Amino acid sequence: MNLIELPYAPNALEPVISAATLGFHHGKHLQAYVNNLNAALPGSPYEGMSLEEIVCNADGGIFNNAGQILNHNLYFTQFRAPREANAPTGALKGQIERQFGSFETFKTEFAAKGAGLFGSGWVWLSADEDGRLVITQEPNAGNPVTKGLRPLLTFDVWEHAYYLDYQNRRPDHLKALWTIIDWDEVERRYAE
Ligand code: MN
């Protein structure tokens, strides 16, 4: 298992996510999960499995580290430089409007689920097998693949994701994240 490369420069997401936060979050936290999993996999029943397979089958430390790698790989590859008007444009846009009424309502509901998650975890937008959208909260290293859902978009609400830039102001951080979502990538995940 290798550490993923970021598809943008370390300062590309500023001021929403600083280069310092990215350096720790990607270079230290995610690297540690990769190192831990690589140390635990050899000789285990999960050697040779994909991250998704490990997350759906393992428990304990292997689940935690594989889950955090899968989650962060999806998280870090869903961003691009800030844009003022930033919104989906394709089939996902239509589905959001059908189910939530409007993109604004969806954003409010999603961010509220992130702000309201107690402790460390993730809020997810996923698709079920019929293409319907589902918002879920997952504690710690949880990923909606364990519920048969296909993850599309996620906000990391562990404090390490925002504390250097926003301290305790988690809702402000989550609100700012909307300006850096790469909706082309999220639409691509939805179309898969
Ligand atoms: Mn994180």
Side-chain angles (χ1 to χ4, degrees), residues 25 29-30 33 68 72 75-76 122 156-158 160-161:
H25 198 180
H29 288 275
L30 180 52
Y33 298 128
Q68 286 293 68
H72 285 95
Y75 174 81
F76 284 123
W122 303 75
D156 183 348
V157 301
W158 286 58
H160 66 223

Side-chain angles (χ1 to χ4, degrees), residues 2 8 14 27-28 31 41 45 57 71-72 80 82 88 92 103 108 126 141 147 154 179 187:
N2 293 317
Y8 37 75
E14 292 187 345
K28 302 291 185 189
Q31 181 70 67
L41 275 185
N57 289 285
N71 295 357
H72 285 95
R80 61 186 174 197
L92 179 60
F103 180 54
T108 302
S126 302
K147 298 169 172 149
T154 190
T179 65
E187 289 270 7

Side-chain angles (χ1 to χ4, degrees), residues 59-115:
D59 56 15
I62 291 189
F63 169 82
N64 285 333
N65 285 290
Q68 286 293 68
I69 298 168
L70 178 61
N71 295 357
H72 285 95
N73 288 356
L74 290 161
Y75 174 81
F76 284 123
T77 57
Q78 68 181 3
F79 295 130
R80 61 186 174 197
R83 301 181 180 196
E84 255 182 54
N86 194 29
T89 53
L92 179 60
K93 174 186 195 288
Q95 189 64 27
I96 286 173
E97 288 171 352
R98 271 190 295 281
Q99 284 188 237
F100 296 91
S102 73
F103 180 54
E104 289 304 314
T105 306
F106 158 74
K107 284 197 296 185
T108 302
E109 193 169 318
F110 189 87
K113 285 262 172 68

Side-chain angles (χ1 to χ4, degrees), residues 17 24 29 92 139 146 168 172 184:
I17 298 176
F24 281 103
H29 288 275
L92 179 60
T146 60
N168 61 319
D172 293 347
D184 294 335

